[in-house]
């Protein structure tokens, strides 16, 4: 399975000629849905879902998401399917399991929205905007590294709780170049401590997951 980091919180997975895209939001530039067979969306915030992108996509596109997002996709021609914590399904040849229910607490005046995390092929876990801990082993973690709802200490504790063999930064478009240097340092320190491959992939960079 090939993983490509796209802008901010969007990633692209490829396997056996099929393409799965996760959280193509408004920060995701370019034709991120070109060639996509399926899309997973964790929650309804604009940096994770771009309704206009989905409207313009192929009507054959399979879209899997929580109820809150599905309610906003009534004009999308793709096949929208609602999933919840505990569900499992197959799409575009990828096996997916769903963990989590709610977004992390954010601004005190903002309501907490639904948020589902996705474990793909029992290998890669994408939590969305939450620090959900699945009750299964996670080999590869996409770890949020920058958000209004996130503290550095929480990110480090999350990595130490999951203890993945590999972890790659996501949710990092809010950083300046100076901030990204800090992220790289924090992840390198944790990689050395855990003896794991923990780092930030540059936008457009790919890696192969075993």
């Amino acid at each position: 399975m090939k993983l490509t980091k796209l802008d901010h919180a969007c990633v692209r997975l490829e396997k056996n000629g099929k393409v799965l895209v996760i959280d193509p939001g408004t920060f995701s530039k370019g034709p991120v849905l070109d060639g996509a067979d399926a899309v997973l969306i964790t929650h309804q915030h604009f940096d994770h879902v771009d309704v206009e992108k989905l409207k313009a996509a192929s009507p054959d596109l399979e879209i899997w998401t929580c109820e809150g997002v599905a309610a906003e996709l009534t004009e999308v021609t793709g096949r929208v399917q609602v999933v919840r914590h505990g569900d499992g399904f197959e799409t575009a040849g990828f096996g997916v399991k769903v963990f989590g229910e709610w977004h992390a607490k954010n601004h005190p005046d903002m309501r907490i929205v639904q948020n589902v995390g996705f474990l793909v092929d029992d290998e890669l876990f994408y939590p969305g905007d939450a620090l959900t801990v699945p009750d299964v082993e996670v080999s590869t973690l996409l770890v949020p590294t920058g958000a209004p709802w996130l503290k550095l200490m929480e990110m480090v504790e999350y990595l130490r709780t999951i203890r993945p063999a590999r972890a790659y930064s996501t949710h990092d478009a809010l950083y300046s170049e100076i901030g990204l240097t800090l992220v790289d340092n924090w992840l390198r320190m944790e990689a050395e401590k855990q003896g794991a491959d923990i780092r930030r992939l540059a936008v457009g960079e790919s890696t192969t997951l075993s």
Side-chain angles (χ1 to χ4, degrees):
M1 181 165 58
K2 178 182 176 182
L3 164 69
T4 302
K5 170 74 166 72
L6 302 179
D7 295 283
H8 189 50
C10 184
V11 296
R12 180 183 178 98
L13 302 176
E14 299 174 63
K15 184 185 74 171
N16 298 330
K18 296 293 186 178
V19 176
L20 176 65
V21 176
I22 307 178
D23 278 8
T26 58
F27 292 175
S28 305
K29 302 170 185 175
V32 296
L33 295 180
D34 276 11
D37 299 286
V39 170
L40 309 180
I41 301 171
T42 60
H43 66 284
Q44 65 198 71
H45 289 159
F46 67 91
D47 56 329
H48 292 258
V49 57
D50 185 335
V51 176
E52 296 306 314
K53 278 190 181 76
L54 296 173
K55 283 182 181 180
S58 167
D60 295 326
L61 185 69
E62 293 187 0
I63 302 167
W64 303 79
T65 189
C66 61
E67 189 175 356
V69 173
E72 298 185 357
L73 302 182
T74 56
E75 297 182 13
V76 170
T77 57
R79 292 173 285 176
V80 180
Q81 302 177 76
V82 172
V83 294
R84 300 174 180 82
H85 174 76
D87 286 347
F89 58 93
E90 184 171 311
T91 182
F94 295 86
V96 184
K97 297 175 182 176
V98 183
F99 294 91
E101 298 179 272
W102 301 106
H103 191 288
K105 291 182 179 179
N106 202 344
H107 191 282
D109 296 336
M110 293 180 64
R111 69 184 182 91
I112 300 175
V113 299
Q114 293 175 325
N115 181 98
V116 289
F118 297 104
L119 178 67
V120 181
D121 281 352
D122 292 322
E123 166 67 38
L124 178 141
F125 184 60
Y126 184 108
D129 279 12
L131 300 179
T132 302
V133 179
D135 57 358
V136 295
E137 182 179 352
V138 173
S139 296
T140 304
L141 175 68
L142 294 179
V143 58
T145 56
W149 50 268
L150 182 67
K151 295 179 181 178
L152 168 61
M153 180 177 67
E154 294 171 335
M155 182 265 284
V156 172
E157 288 178 345
Y158 189 49
L159 286 167
R160 293 182 182 182
T161 298
I162 300 289
R163 298 198 70 83
R166 292 166 295 278
Y168 305 113
S169 171
T170 186
H171 214 283
D172 49 20
L174 301 183
Y175 282 111
S176 65
E177 288 303 315
I178 293 173
L180 289 174
T181 300
L182 290 175
V183 170
D184 291 339
N185 287 337
W186 296 330
L187 295 181
R188 182 169 53 252
M189 290 166 58
E190 201 57 29
E192 293 171 355
K193 186 175 185 66
Q194 295 196 29
D197 180 16
I198 301 176
R199 56 193 166 95
R200 179 175 62 89
L201 300 175
V203 174
E205 185 178 353
S206 300
T207 188
T208 299
L209 309 178
S210 57

